[in-house]
Amino acid sequence: MTTIRNIVLVHGGFVDGSGWQGVYDELSREGFRIRIVQNPTISLEGDVAATRQVLDSLDGPAVLVGHSYGGAVISEAGTHPNVAALAYIAAFAPDKGESVNTLIADPPPGAPVPPILPPRDGFLSLDRDKFHGAFAADLPARLAAFMADAQVPWGVDALGGAVTEPAWRHKPSWYLVATEDRMIPPPAQRAMAERAGSSVVEAIGSHAVYVSQPATVADLIRQAAA
């Protein structure tokens, strides 16, 4: 078996692809060819198109990696023939007909509620003052403040976009559960990973585990590439 050398990283809502830099640095040192999708997070359809455009440019098989909402993107885009494996990082893994909206519609009692502000002009953002604790509790306060002030508005159409045929039904997947996540409850992460038949690793980290623990995330991606 030849190790997959292409890695494609897909970010989630409220952020852009720059948060993947630590993971990029970890894997690029080992010769992996890494592409980072700057998906607009306006609609699921648009983000899938942006991801497939990157996949089209590859010269061989890839591991397609998604964080948070990026998990919905890779579930839909991962049917692309260049995708050999999927890696979910504290991510949504919708089934056919599901969207982020349907997955978050009925939170269990006592689950943390993300501090999402009411939509403005069709876009959502997180309460800046609560961003650190909800999204990035294991990051330094100054970095979390920068991320809060650099937020990318998340289109409500992206949350409502439903997956038509989840790639995890046809391709092997890995899942990193962030045990201290206050955006996607860890029990929900475990349930989605189990449903997808993913190989699971757990890390003590916040929703921003891809920023705070790039080596752990890179290890999971290496497993998927092996």
Side-chain angles (χ1 to χ4, degrees):
M1 293 287 290
T2 303
T3 299
I4 300 165
R5 303 312 296 170
N6 292 307
I7 310 294
V8 177
L9 305 173
V10 182
H11 65 81
F14 307 122
V15 296
D16 66 13
S18 63
W20 288 114
Q21 184 170 357
V23 174
Y24 176 95
D25 290 344
E26 289 279 340
L27 294 172
S28 62
R29 282 194 290 265
E30 298 168 28
F32 285 99
R33 294 186 293 272
I34 303 157
R35 296 290 301 277
I36 297 169
V37 181
Q38 292 286 12
N39 43 309
T41 64
I42 295 172
S43 70
L44 179 63
E45 182 181 30
D47 297 334
V48 168
T51 302
R52 287 182 172 153
Q53 186 176 39
V54 171
L55 291 166
D56 284 341
S57 72
L58 302 180
D59 58 0
V63 178
L64 183 59
V65 185
H67 170 255
S68 191
Y69 159 73
V73 178
I74 72 169
S75 294
E76 181 76 359
T79 55
H80 191 287
N82 279 344
V83 177
L86 304 159
Y88 292 86
I89 312 300
F92 293 104
D95 203 348
K96 183 175 182 177
E98 290 182 343
S99 65
V100 170
N101 270 345
T102 62
L103 290 172
I104 66 175
D106 190 21
V113 177
I116 300 174
L117 299 173
R120 294 184 61 181
D121 301 320
F123 290 92
L124 299 170
S125 62
L126 288 178
D127 185 327
R128 184 197 179 281
D129 294 334
K130 298 177 180 177
F131 187 99
H132 191 186
F135 194 101
D138 55 355
L139 291 178
R142 287 180 63 84
L143 177 55
F146 173 81
M147 292 173 68
D149 286 333
Q151 283 185 69
V152 179
W154 190 10
V156 294
D157 289 345
L159 280 77
V163 168
T164 60
E165 183 57 36
W168 51 257
R169 288 196 171 274
H170 310 285
K171 300 183 181 184
S173 62
W174 280 254
Y175 197 111
L176 180 70
V177 173
T179 64
E180 305 300 311
D181 198 323
R182 299 187 63 80
M183 295 292 293
I184 304 177
Q189 295 183 36
R190 296 184 185 106
M192 288 185 287
E194 181 178 7
R195 181 175 67 174
S198 304
S199 300
V200 178
V201 171
E202 298 207 355
I204 301 172
S206 76
H207 192 59
V209 67
Y210 72 114
V211 180
S212 63
Q213 298 185 47
T216 301
V217 174
D219 281 343
L220 184 89
I221 296 169
R222 286 188 202 96
Q223 292 178 34

